[in-house]
């Protein structure tokens, strides 16, 4: 218990400070957890290792959790991994259950977070050995599995939904086949004159906040921004939140399996380097939809959707630290920044890190645990005030949202003006596209997963030279195919059931 | 309504004043205002960012201005540099900047004609080639001999730059020692270090490009572990490693590291001399940046390195201090580039 | 038979051309899906259109032209000016600050209904305080790069 001497009250102060700043970053549309960690990284030069890590881990947990606030209240995902939270969270707000949705989300986040810390602490090295069994092929199948959600997400027609998803993939491929992922550095899907600007393609964050943020504002503008505050079934929302939709923990009745499964999915997907954090909540949301007693309710404001999404994206935090601490490889974009905190202190993470730095390892686990608890306490009691955001008149709120989206878009790649233009482009595309019947949710999921799907697909074929390898590589691959087929069968089945009803 | 306009007017005036005030304070220097250093890497966890922030911190103290590092990535960094000639935007990158051009990759142009090459600041001596611990190849000579005997050796690299140059040199050496057999050395093109390691674990590569920093712990795993690796070759010059701290990296001491560099591990460049490659970090300036600004930065960096504090910080993070003022750096990097051009052309 | 089958499934990807391998598959998929949509839904769509059950009106009825196109115009102006002014004050984020204030003001005035004195004052305050706070906290305290 030598590490106890490292646990000063200071550490907890740093963790709490990190959580608060993280929540604020996560809650502002356009700012992400990764950004929060990145901007605070230089602050840790002057701190010692343990306190610095405490701060950064607090930021990480706070940032991921804060993302649910705008997702639920404004239909704008605060971070990419809270996309699926909007599917049911925002409809709940429209039904006057905003506060209930927020509290459900926070409680699920806490559960997912704690579960993943537990798994990290007890199983990290074992899991790392399991994770390296996932080669290009298995990773491609995981992504294919996540993509299979597109079919069941479509609101109107499954075919149009799939079309929208594939269109999303197409958009994600525009730009360079990046050398840093093993590509050949050639540009594609554009004319020569566009090369100067489109070389790096469209960045995820501006696309996301363009579609959800600016796109929504344009739709409102078309209608004339008539209601000054959001209304719920005619009544002003401030009144509605006060009475309707009180939160109680009974929301979770019958949802324990969902909570646990989603947290596990989040942790596991977080563990696989390169698959990407957003895939976690997408996957667990689909699974909930497949296993739900009443799948047609999902997407219309069902708490179980919020539970699945939020439990998974906080499960991600512990999961993404597994490969970082036991292989020296970051599991997602935020932990990729976190690795800098170690190297700047002259510490290398790798397969021997945990064994050689037990003290740091233990204090990290303590920091993560306390960050999750602090996040829960802070958010749970601040929710009443946070929920008032929607009572701000739209003529004041919308300009602020656009301004913050601009900051986020410009800052995500450390100062690139084209990303700001991407915001506008996709705002307009989202507005026009939804008029033409394109579905935004499948589109964005295709966009998020498209690039990794390409790399793993092409690299698998480059290595093995045959399509058969996807079926014969390993038992894991076969198992994943079973999951994919079940998922597709479920979505066809439930869409048939839906159309009969 | 009128009052509101007044408030706005006063506010804008105050902001402008504050700014003007700040600007005039740093009046004498050829670079006015805050400095932004863009780097050729998108990662804030990588060596380019780490090295650049060490330099940026020292520069900020020396020049008394705000210096910020932005990890925008190579092509965006070049674009940002092209736009600003005042010296407010600078770039730090490494040998990738001209190797990308030599390998004909998109987004790279000849840095010696398109930009002004500035001072070098540090070396990352860690560029390495590794094999699984169970591999029959125990040295880079074994790999060369193996290819000569007709064995196919697959090497995982990231194509088009720093990660490929060692591979190219190896191929060139095989061509020189075993003519016609160089085709036995096959590149497996991939991306990040994680991907390269994964290919080794999967048995899809026999040798990978890696680094002392990222792979040192893997080299200390017990042989029965699937993840265990061994170093075959460090591309750094012997004199570079000699300057590292004695304790080396992790549990691998400087003496142990010296086993893996030339002349102990020999990859010939032209039949006489061994090939070596040090990953060096240097400044790049806008072509039109004034000579005064170039001199100004040269002078500041000369002073910083004369004080000797930055060297300790660099060494602590396993960088080898390597300051050369602009003109010296230009000539040095130019000749370095010409040597590598010969190798790349020879195996085309 | 087994042999030719495995041949059918084998591929050889040329690295120098590999950037088009996956995009081509996706484009074919898009094309096929589009055809399928036209075949399956096209006829019904046309029938609906003839019968007047569906219209091809793009915008909503009586849509707010001023607010919609005004928003797009103001946003374009905002982005252009931000970049332009930002170059005048390098690496200070002032381009963002100085352009955001008038931008927020114009958008607020564009959206507001039943303007009165109280609303005007609130709009002015909001347009000044919000960008300044963002600029100071994010740009200066957290050192985030702003235009």
């Amino acid at each position: 218990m030598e590490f106890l001497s490292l646990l000063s009250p200071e550490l907890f102060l740093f963790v709490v400070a990190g959580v608060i700043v993280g929540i604020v970053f996560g809650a502002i549309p356009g700012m992400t957890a990764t950004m929060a960690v990145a901007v605070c990284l230089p602050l840790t030069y002057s701190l010692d290792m343990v306190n610095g890590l405490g701060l950064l881990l607090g930021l990480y947990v706070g940032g991921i959790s804060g993302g649910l606030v705008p997702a639920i209240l404004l239909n704008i995902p605060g971070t990419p991994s809270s996309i699926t939270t909007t599917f049911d969270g925002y409809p709940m707000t429209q039904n006057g259950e905003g506060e209930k949705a927020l509290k459900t989300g926070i409680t699920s986040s806490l559960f997912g977070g704690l579960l993943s810390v537990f798994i990290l602490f007890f199983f990290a090295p074992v899991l790392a050995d399991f994770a390296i069994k996932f080669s290009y092929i298995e990773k491609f199948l995981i992504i294919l599995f996540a993509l299979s959600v597109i079919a069941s997400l479509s609101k109107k027609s499954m075919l149009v939904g799939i079309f929208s998803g594939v269109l999303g993939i197409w958009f994600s491929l525009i730009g360079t086949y990046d050398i840093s992922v093993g590509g050949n550095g050639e540009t594609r899907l554009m004319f020569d004159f566009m090369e100067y600007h489109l070389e790096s393609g469209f960045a995820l964050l501006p696309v996301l906040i363009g579609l959800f943020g600016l796109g929504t504002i344009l739709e409102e503008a078309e209608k004339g921004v008539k209601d000054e505050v959001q209304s719920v079934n005619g009544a002003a929302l401030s009144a509605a939140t006060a009475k309707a939709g009180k939160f109680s923990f009974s929301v979770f009745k019958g949802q324990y399996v969902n909570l646990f499964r989603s947290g596990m999915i989040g942790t596991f997907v977080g563990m696989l380097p390169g698959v990407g954090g957003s895939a976690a909540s997408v996957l667990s949301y689909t699974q909930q939809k497949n296993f739900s007693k009443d799948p047609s309710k999902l997407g219309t404001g069902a708490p179980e959707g919020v539970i699945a999404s939020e439990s998974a994206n906080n499960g991600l935090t512990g999961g993404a630290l597994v490969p970082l601490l036991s292989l020296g490889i970051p599991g997602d974009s935020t932990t990729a920044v976190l690795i800098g905190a170690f190297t700047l202190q002259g510490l290398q993470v790798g397969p021997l890190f945990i064994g050689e730095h037990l003290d740091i390892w233990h204090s990290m686990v303590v920091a993560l645990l306390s960050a999750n608890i602090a996040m829960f306490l802070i958010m749970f009691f601040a929710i009443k005030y946070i929920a008032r955001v929607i009572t701000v008149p739209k003529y004041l709120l919308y300009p602020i949202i656009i301004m913050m989206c601009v900051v986020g878009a410009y800052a995500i790649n450390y100062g690139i003006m084209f990303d700001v233009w991407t915001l506008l482009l996709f705002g307009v595309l989202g507005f026009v596209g939804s008029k033409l019947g394109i579905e935004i949710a499948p589109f964005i999921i295709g966009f998020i997963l498209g690039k990794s799907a390409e790399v793993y697909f092409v690299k698998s074929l480059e290595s093995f030279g045959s399509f058969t390898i996807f079926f014969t590589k390993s038992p894991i691959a076969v198992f994943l195919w079973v999951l994919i087929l079940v998922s597709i069968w479920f979505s066809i089945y439930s869409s048939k059931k839906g159309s009969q009803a | 309504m009128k009052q509101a306009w007044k408030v706005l007017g006063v506010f804008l005036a105050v902001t402008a004043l504050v700014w003007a005030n700040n600007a005039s304070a740093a009046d004498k220097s050829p670079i006015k205002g805050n400095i932004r250093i863009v780097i050729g890497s998108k990662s804030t966890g990588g060596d380019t960012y780490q090295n650049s922030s060490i330099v940026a911190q020292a520069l900020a103290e020396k020049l008394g201005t705000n210096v910020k590092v932005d990890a925008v990535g190579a092509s965006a960094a070049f674009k940002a540099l092209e736009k600003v000639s005042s010296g407010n935007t600078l770039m730090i990158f490494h040998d990738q900047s001209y190797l990308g051009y030599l390998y004909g990759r998109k987004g790279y142009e000849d840095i010696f004609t398109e930009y002004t090459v500035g001072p070098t600041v540090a070396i990352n001596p860690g560029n390495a080639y590794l094999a699984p611990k169970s591999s029959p190849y125990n040295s880079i000579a074994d790999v060369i001999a193996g290819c000569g005997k007709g064995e196919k050796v697959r090497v995982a690299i990231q194509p088009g730059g720093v990660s490929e140059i060692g591979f190219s040199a190896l191929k060139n050496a095989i061509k020189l020692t075993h003519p016609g057999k160089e085709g036995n050395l096959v590149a497996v093109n991939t991306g990040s270090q994680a991907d390269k390691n994964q290919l080794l674990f999967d048995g899809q590569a026999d040798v990978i490009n890696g680094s002392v920093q990222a792979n040192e712990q893997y080299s200390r795993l017990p042989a029965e572990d699937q993840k265990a690796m061994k170093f075959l070759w460090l591309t750094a010059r012997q004199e570079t490693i000699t300057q590292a701290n004695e304790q080396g990296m992790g549990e691998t001491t400087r003496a142990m590291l010296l086993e893996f560099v030339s002349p102990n591990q020999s990859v010939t460049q032209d039949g006489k001399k061994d090939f070596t490659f040090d990953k060096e970090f240097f400044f790049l300036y806008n072509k039109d940046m004034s000579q005064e600004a170039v001199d100004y930065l040269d002078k500041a960096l000369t002073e910083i390195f004369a004080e000797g504090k930055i060297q300790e910080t660099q060494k602590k993070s396993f960088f080898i201090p390597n300051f050369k003022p602009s003109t010296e750096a230009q000539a040095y990097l130019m000749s370095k580039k010409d040597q590598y051009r010969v190798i790349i052309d020879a195996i085309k | 038979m087994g042999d030719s089958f495995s041949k059918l499934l084998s591929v050889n990807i040329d690295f120098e051309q590999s950037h088009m391998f996956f995009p081509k598959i996706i484009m074919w998929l898009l094309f096929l899906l589009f055809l399928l949509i036209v075949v399956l839904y096209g006829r019904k769509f046309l029938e609906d259109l003839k019968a007047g059950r569906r219209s091809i009106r793009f915008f909503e009825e009586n849509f707010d032209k001023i607010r919609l196109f005004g928003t797009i115009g103001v946003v374009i102006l905002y982005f252009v000016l931000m970049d332009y002014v930002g170059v005048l004050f390098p690496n200070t984020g002032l381009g963002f600050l100085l352009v955001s204030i008038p931008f927020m003001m114009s958008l607020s005035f564009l959206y507001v209904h039943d303007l009165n004195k109280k609303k005007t004052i609130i709009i002015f305050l909001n347009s000044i305080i919000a960008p300044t706070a963002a600029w100071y906290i994010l740009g200066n305290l957290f050192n985030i790069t702003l235009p």
Side-chain angles (χ1 to χ4, degrees), chain A residues 349-425:
Chain A
V349 279
L352 297 172
F353 174 80
I354 292 178
E356 287 176 1
H357 302 278
L358 271 181
D359 46 348
I360 292 177
W361 159 240
H362 286 142
S363 33
M364 282 182 79
V365 172
V366 172
L368 263 182
L369 271 180
S370 37
N372 273 292
I373 294 165
M375 177 280 295
F376 178 74
L377 294 177
I378 294 168
M379 298 259 282
F380 202 85
F381 294 104
I383 253 15
K384 237 191 250 163
Y385 308 99
I386 295 176
R388 292 211 185 129
V389 166
I390 34 180
T391 63
V392 176
K394 286 178 180 170
Y395 62 85
L396 296 176
L397 189 62
Y398 285 174
I400 296 181
I401 292 179
I402 297 184
M403 180 189 76
M404 290 317 300
C405 287
V406 166
V407 175
Y410 191 75
I412 187 71
N413 288 318
Y414 308 98
I416 292 177
M417 199 58 206
F418 181 70
D419 288 338
V420 177
W421 287 105
T422 303
L423 177 74
L424 176 65
L425 187 67

Side-chain angles (χ1 to χ4, degrees), chain B residues 16-66:
Chain B
L17 253 174
V18 168
W19 181 79
N21 220 9
N22 278 345
S24 64
D27 215 3
K28 298 256 159 55
S29 61
I31 300 174
K32 292 178 190 65
N34 296 342
I35 294 179
R36 175 182 187 214
I37 298 181
V38 289
I39 61 172
S41 153
K42 279 188 179 171
S43 146
T44 48
D47 56 347
T48 312
Y49 183 82
Q50 197 186 352
N51 166 71
S52 306
S53 47
I54 293 173
V55 175
Q57 223 170 359
L59 265 182
E61 275 170 36
K62 185 100 245 158
L63 305 178
T65 179
N66 229 325

Side-chain angles (χ1 to χ4, degrees), chain A residues 38 41-42 45 125 128-129 131-136 139 176 178-187 195-200 273 326-329 336-341 343-346 348-354 356-357 410 413-417 455-456 459 462-464 473, chain B residues 36 38 42-46 49-50 53-54 57 68-73 75-76 79-80 82-83 96 104-108 157-161 188-199 201-202 204 212-214 216-218 220-222 225-227 249-251 316-318:
Chain A
L41 184 63
Y45 299 164
D129 279 348
I132 63 165
K133 295 208 161 37
F134 283 71
S135 65
Y136 288 141
K139 282 182 186 164
T176 310
D178 201 344
I179 296 183
S180 67
V181 296
N184 58 8
E186 297 291 321
T187 51
E195 222 166 59
Y196 181 80
H197 289 295
L198 271 183
E199 207 174 6
S200 317
S326 48
L327 295 171
I329 288 159
V337 180
L338 214 54
I339 210 172
T343 46
L344 286 167
Q345 302 269 358
Q348 292 299 327
V349 279
L352 297 172
F353 174 80
I354 292 178
E356 287 176 1
H357 302 278
Y410 191 75
N413 288 318
Y414 308 98
I416 292 177
M417 199 58 206
V455 172
Y456 295 131
K459 290 290 158 189
E462 261 176 29
S463 298
F464 292 94
K473 170 74 174 25
Chain B
R36 175 182 187 214
V38 289
K42 279 188 179 171
S43 146
T44 48
Y49 183 82
Q50 197 186 352
S53 47
I54 293 173
Q57 223 170 359
K68 179 163 189 268
V69 181
D70 274 337
V72 297
S75 65
K79 280 177 203 160
E82 266 165 28
K83 259 177 79 177
Q96 178 69 38
R105 290 296 153 209
K106 266 217 164 118
Y108 290 95
I157 53 163
Q158 181 180 316
V188 182
N189 294 314
T190 185
S192 63
Q193 193 59 49
D195 291 336
K196 294 177 203 157
N197 294 353
Q198 184 66 47
L199 284 168
F201 304 148
D202 288 346
Q204 290 298 310
V212 173
Q213 293 91 327
E216 190 266 342
Q217 292 188 8
Y218 287 93
R220 288 190 279 131
L221 291 172
D225 194 317
Q226 188 197 354
K227 305 188 292 296
M249 163 65 55
E251 301 282 301
K316 199 183 126 203
S317 304
F318 203 61

